[in-house]
Amino acid sequence: ERRGAGCCLAWTLVVATMNTLVFLINLLLLFVIFTVVLLPTIVVVYFGFQCHSQVLHSSARYCKSILDDNSSSALIILGFVIMSPLIVVAMVTYCSLARRLRLFMCFQPFSRAVYKGVKWRWYEEGGLCGCAKGWYTQAKAWV
């Protein structure tokens, strides 16, 4: 049966808050994985731009003794070249971790707020987001 207007609004806020929290957890996980995997690229490009005379031209000792303009340009080029495969590695890592943790199944449909007696998806599957029950081989992350 359908909920009343006030109760429906309250449950809609609960479901929206829960979905927003799950979205923020996914976003944080994505940010952490991409930062860790792309750290070599970030460091190489940073030092390349920092020591190049026409960009930042730092007065650090390693810029004067080790890196000249040619080696700084090589670092910049190397950083952008290794970025593409590392982005693929980061995305594969995130997707496999999200699928393993079943993070996309934590999103709840708004029909849970509209109708009474509709069980939460994580309750039906045996735990919070289905993590407590065994791994389903037929379950897809986008379902």
Side-chain angles (χ1 to χ4, degrees):
E1 75 185 71
R2 293 182 65 88
R3 296 184 194 271
C7 188
C8 182
L9 180 63
W11 277 103
T12 300
L13 290 175
V14 168
V15 170
T17 303
M18 186 172 152
N19 286 343
T20 303
L21 183 65
V22 170
F23 173 75
L24 291 175
I25 289 171
N26 275 307
L27 197 63
L28 178 68
L29 182 67
L30 183 75
F31 178 74
V32 168
I33 289 174
F34 268 76
T35 301
V36 168
V37 172
L38 292 176
L39 191 61
T41 297
I42 294 167
V43 169
V44 167
V45 170
Y46 171 76
F47 282 118
F49 278 123
Q50 184 182 17
C51 294
H52 199 280
S53 67
Q54 295 182 1
V55 183
L56 291 178
H57 193 57
S58 175
S59 60
R61 188 176 56 88
Y62 57 85
C63 286
K64 293 180 179 180
S65 62
I66 299 173
L67 297 173
D68 59 352
D69 280 350
N70 290 333
S71 58
S72 296
S73 297
L75 282 179
I76 294 169
I77 292 169
L78 175 69
F80 284 113
V81 166
I82 65 173
M83 186 185 303
S84 296
L86 288 180
I87 287 175
V88 172
V89 168
M91 198 63 209
V92 166
T93 304
Y94 169 72
C95 288
S96 65
L97 188 61
R99 182 171 184 211
R100 183 113 178 128
L101 296 176
R102 301 178 71 174
L103 292 178
F104 297 118
M105 290 191 170
C106 292
F107 290 105
Q108 296 295 325
F110 282 99
S111 63
R112 306 288 194 251
V114 176
Y115 295 102
K116 291 181 182 177
V118 180
K119 293 182 180 179
W120 295 92
R121 185 182 302 164
W122 59 268
Y123 177 77
E124 294 168 352
E125 293 178 355
L128 182 62
C129 302
C131 299
K133 216 171 186 181
W135 173 253
Y136 299 108
T137 56
Q138 73 272 13
K140 302 290 183 198
W142 53 86
V143 175

